Amino acid sequence: MNSRTKKITTIGMMCAMAMVVNLLIHFPIIPSVSFLSYDPKDIVIVIAGFIYGPFSAFVMSAICAVLDIMFRGGTILDILMNMISTCMFACVAGAIYKKEHTKKGALIGLGSGVLLTTLSMLLWNYIITPIYFGIPREAVAAMLIPGILPFNLIKYGINAGASLLLYKPVVTALRSSHLVSSSETVHEKSNEMVILGGFIVITLIFLMLGYQGVI
């Protein structure tokens, strides 16, 4: 199996993995914007972006957005919003990491992805949500800061932290299967990055539970 075939096979497998976790794990985070749901598929997509670059993350985001409406139903607006959010997170992180292939580059990439996705979703929800639900734009504007802003910070913060946790095990498994060769310039995170990722995920899960009134 040549390198191109391995890459296509790996991306196909990771698309399938992203859709499986998307279908299994799907729930609202902020009660006031319960139409927005958390899903972990972007963890898989950003890991692929770290391995193969931002274009691969873009391709995966497009495939997963189309598959999502096939399984759940939806419209072209669902595809648009899905792709914008995933690309802003995974493609930005992948592009920065490709340029600076270090721990620092990974952190800057993921942090930038979280920030830019959160800001862009404020804009796009303000534009699209009134059209999608047929509600006044003023009603959506009232949701932006108390609901949509913390939703995206928590969702993509968790996905960024989980990416730090899972990157090395995923790459190790792919290498063991000979789908990613040892010659691939894949930066493996140290234990400090795993600890940081776990801390971020746990902190944001507690924050999410606070919003839901569980704690």
Side-chain angles (χ1 to χ4, degrees), residues 6-7 10-11 14 47-54 56 179-180 184:
K6 286 181 180 180
K7 180 178 178 179
T10 305
I11 289 174
M14 295 185 81
I47 290 174
F50 276 3
I51 298 171
Y52 293 119
S56 295
L179 291 172
V180 173
E184 288 278 359

Side-chain angles (χ1 to χ4, degrees), residues 17-212:
M17 189 188 307
M19 285 309 302
V20 168
V21 297
N22 181 32
L23 293 171
L24 291 176
I25 305 172
H26 201 84
F27 56 86
I29 295 176
I30 308 295
S32 62
V33 286
S34 58
F35 59 90
L36 298 176
S37 295
Y38 172 81
D39 72 81
K41 73 177 185 303
D42 293 344
I43 299 168
V44 182
I45 295 175
V46 80
I47 290 174
F50 276 3
I51 298 171
Y52 293 119
F55 183 72
S56 295
F58 172 79
V59 171
M60 286 183 66
S61 72
I63 293 171
C64 289
V66 173
L67 289 174
D68 191 64
I69 68 163
M70 291 175 64
F71 284 106
R72 298 185 193 279
T75 69
I76 189 67
L77 292 178
D78 292 284
I79 296 176
L80 176 66
M81 293 294 280
N82 204 328
M83 281 194 65
I84 290 172
S85 60
T86 299
C87 287
M88 287 300 296
F89 176 61
C91 294
V92 167
I96 292 173
Y97 185 64
K98 184 177 181 179
K99 185 174 181 180
E100 186 172 348
H101 209 65
T102 62
K103 297 174 188 177
K104 179 182 176 181
L107 290 173
I108 293 174
L110 289 169
S112 299
V114 172
L115 180 60
L116 291 175
T117 305
T118 300
L119 294 175
S120 68
M121 284 298 99
L122 289 175
L123 173 62
W124 283 101
N125 274 283
Y126 180 74
I127 295 170
I128 298 297
T129 302
I131 301 170
Y132 190 88
F133 289 107
I135 59 177
R137 199 168 301 278
E138 293 77 11
V140 177
M143 301 175 191
L144 292 178
I145 302 304
I148 294 173
L149 175 65
F151 168 83
N152 284 289
L153 283 175
I154 293 171
K155 175 182 177 178
Y156 289 99
I158 289 174
N159 286 348
S163 300
L164 293 175
L165 271 172
L166 297 175
Y167 175 84
K168 186 175 180 178
V170 169
V171 172
T172 301
L174 291 174
R175 282 179 168 167
S176 298
S177 303
H178 305 292
L179 291 172
V180 173
S181 67
S182 57
S183 61
E184 288 278 359
T185 54
V186 177
H187 178 71
E188 297 192 18
K189 309 290 183 293
S190 65
N191 291 334
E192 289 82 1
M193 300 292 275
V194 173
I195 293 170
L196 176 61
F199 175 77
I200 292 170
V201 171
I202 291 170
T203 301
L204 291 174
I205 286 175
F206 276 110
L207 181 59
M208 176 183 67
L209 294 175
Y211 268 101
Q212 294 178 349

